[in-house]
Amino acid sequence: MTQRAVVKGVGHYLPQRIVENSEFEETLDTTDEWITSRSGIKRRHFAAEGETTSDMAIYAARAALYDAGLDADDIDAIILATSTADLTFPSAATMVQTGLSMTGGFAYDVQAVCAGFIYALSTANAQIISGQAKRVLVIGAETFSRLMDWKDRSTCVLFGDGAGALVLEVTDAEGTSNDRGILSVDLNSDGSYRDILYVDGGVSTGKTGYLRMEGKEVFRHAVEKLSETAETAMERAGIQAGDIDWVVPHQANIRIINSTARKMGVPMSKVVTTVQDHGNTSAASIPLALSVAKQNGQIKENDLIVTEAIGGGLAWGALVIRW
Ligand code: UT7
C-alpha cells in the first residue's frame, strides 16, 4: 500500500481582453501570417490595468475548489508557480490565501519560469506523500504582458496572461501505474543557459525589466530536452507511448509541440493544444490547458497524461499523472 496525490478539481481564469494577431500589425513590422506560421499563436489574453497575478490566481483557485467540491478551509497548502508575482514579496501565494479567506495552512511561490507548474506539482506531490499536507492547491498564474518590450516584435507577440489551478488530495493506492494520481516526476535545470531567456531587471537593477530571448536557441533546446524528460518520466512510471491518453505540453510554440509529440511517438490527436488561443502564458499554460481540456470533454477520469515544460534557467521537467 502506498499513497498518491490525486487530482480532485481543476479550474482556470483568463482576463477579458483578447488581443488578435492583427492588432500587432498596427504598431509593429509583423503580420498575422508570420506569428501564426512561426508559433501557432492566433490570439492571447492580456490582464486589465490593475489586474494582478494574484487576482487571476484567486479566480482560478475558486474554480478548482468548486470543481473539487471543497472549501478553502479544506486546503492545507497553496503552492503558486509564477515569475510575475504582484510584488517582490510577500509571495503571491499568501495573497491568494487571504483572497480565499483561508484561516490556516501555509502558502508559498515557486519560480521556475515556464517549467514552474511542473516544479510546483512535484513539490506538492512530495509534501502529500511525505504526510506534510493532505490537500494542496497548486496554481500557475502569470501576467507576462508586464514583462514585454512592446518594440521587440520577436518576443511581445508570443506571450499572454492567465491562471489555472488544480486541487491535489492524498489517496491510498496500490503503487502501480494503474493508480490514479501523480505517478512519476523528472526535473532538470542548467543555469549555464541563463543568457538565452531572461528578464533584464530585478532587485539588483532597480527596474522590473523586459523579457529577452534568443528564440532559435531556446527552440533547439526545447525540442531536444522535452522529449528526453518526458521519456524519463514515462520510464519511471513504467508506461509506454502507446499507453498515453493525452500529452499536455507547455504551450509556447506549435512547432515545438509537434516535434516533441513526434519524438515521443504520440499522434497529435492525443495532444492538448491551447497555444492558438492563449499564446505562451509561462507557468499558467499547463493548468490552463488541463482545465480547458477537462471542460471540453477531452480529459476524463483515469486518463493517463504526460505533461512537460521548459523555460528560463534553463529549467525543464515532466510528470506522468493518471487523472
Ligand atoms: O516558454 C519558454 C520557451 N520559449 C520558447 O519555447 C520559444 C522558442 N522559440 C520560438 O518559439 C521561435 O524561435 C520563435 C517563434 C521565437 C521565432 O521563430 P523562428 O522560426 O526561430 O524565427 P527567427 O527568430 O529565426 O526569425 C526569423 C525572422 C528574422 O528575420 P531575418 O533575420 O531572417 O531577416 C526575424 O527578425 O523573422 C523575423 N521576425 C519577425 N518577423 C515578423 C522575428 N519576429 C518577427 C515578427 N514578425 N513578430
Side-chain angles (χ1 to χ4, degrees):
M1 192 73 112
T2 186
Q3 295 197 307
R4 299 280 195 194
V6 173
V7 178
K8 285 286 162 187
V10 61
H12 71 272
Y13 170 80
L14 287 160
Q16 222 174 3
R17 182 169 170 229
I18 298 173
V19 175
E20 300 286 340
N21 288 346
S22 54
E23 214 173 304
F24 290 105
E25 293 177 355
E26 293 162 23
T27 51
L28 290 168
D29 180 15
T30 191
T31 57
D32 171 34
E33 198 282 327
W34 190 95
I35 301 168
T36 306
S37 63
R38 298 298 176 117
S39 72
I41 299 164
K42 296 294 292 176
R43 58 193 66 83
R44 73 288 290 141
H45 294 245
F46 284 155
E49 213 183 315
E51 190 172 37
T52 65
T53 292
S54 68
D55 293 335
M56 296 194 299
I58 291 165
Y59 288 125
R62 284 199 188 116
L65 286 169
Y66 180 80
D67 190 47
L70 294 169
D71 293 322
D73 276 337
D74 296 323
I75 299 297
D76 301 314
I78 299 173
I79 305 177
L80 171 47
T82 190
S83 304
T84 48
D86 308 11
L87 300 174
T88 304
F89 74 81
S91 67
T94 54
M95 298 181 187
V96 175
Q97 185 183 24
T98 305
L100 295 175
S101 307
M102 238 171 100
T103 53
F106 59 96
Y108 59 96
D109 291 352
V110 163
Q111 209 270 51
V113 202
C114 297
F117 196 73
I118 300 283
Y119 275 63
L121 278 181
S122 159
T123 309
N125 181 51
Q127 287 182 327
I128 285 174
I129 59 182
S130 68
Q132 263 186 297
K134 283 191 166 48
R135 293 196 190 102
V136 182
L137 188 54
V138 189
I139 309 170
E142 301 276 21
T143 40
F144 259 52
S145 63
R146 305 231 160 89
L147 297 177
M148 293 298 112
D149 174 353
W150 299 111
K151 293 193 196 78
D152 178 6
R153 66 177 182 170
S154 70
T155 54
C156 74
V157 301
L158 302 174
F159 293 88
D161 301 335
L166 294 189
V167 178
L168 293 177
E169 183 179 82
V170 68
T171 307
D172 289 336
E174 298 294 328
T176 73
S177 61
N178 290 324
D179 293 344
R180 288 184 64 210
I182 296 178
L183 301 180
S184 68
V185 181
D186 181 54
L187 300 183
N188 311 268
S189 66
D190 185 342
S192 67
Y193 294 114
R194 98 172 193 180
D195 291 342
I196 64 171
L197 180 50
Y198 66 103
V199 170
D200 62 2
V203 285
S204 64
T205 68
K207 57 185 169 68
T208 305
Y210 297 119
L211 182 145
R212 305 295 178 199
M213 177 167 73
E214 286 179 36
K216 252 194 184 6
E217 272 301 290
V218 177
F219 192 103
R220 197 171 62 75
H221 284 288
V223 168
E224 177 195 300
K225 292 180 166 55
L226 287 174
S227 55
E228 274 174 19
T229 185
E231 267 149 32
T232 303
M234 286 159 61
E235 205 178 299
R236 286 183 188 155
I239 64 150
Q240 316 275 324
D243 302 326
I244 298 172
D245 293 298
W246 296 103
V247 175
V248 183
H250 170 49
Q251 308 284 320
N253 185 315
I254 194 68
R255 293 187 293 140
I256 295 173
I257 294 173
N258 281 332
S259 316
T260 306
R262 196 165 44 244
K263 281 191 163 188
M264 289 170 66
V266 175
M268 281 304 286
S269 57
K270 292 188 170 184
V271 179
V272 173
T273 57
T274 51
V275 67
Q276 65 284 355
D277 296 322
H278 301 166
N280 182 347
T281 58
S282 188
S285 95
I286 288 173
L288 269 166
L290 286 168
S291 180
V292 167
K294 158 122 195 265
Q295 228 169 42
N296 68 20
Q298 287 177 291
I299 294 178
K300 296 189 188 67
E301 193 166 308
N302 273 314
D303 278 357
L304 191 61
I305 296 169
V306 176
T307 180
E308 30 84 351
I310 187 167
L314 294 175
W316 68 103
L319 281 107
V320 177
I321 309 170
R322 191 177 292 284
W323 196 260

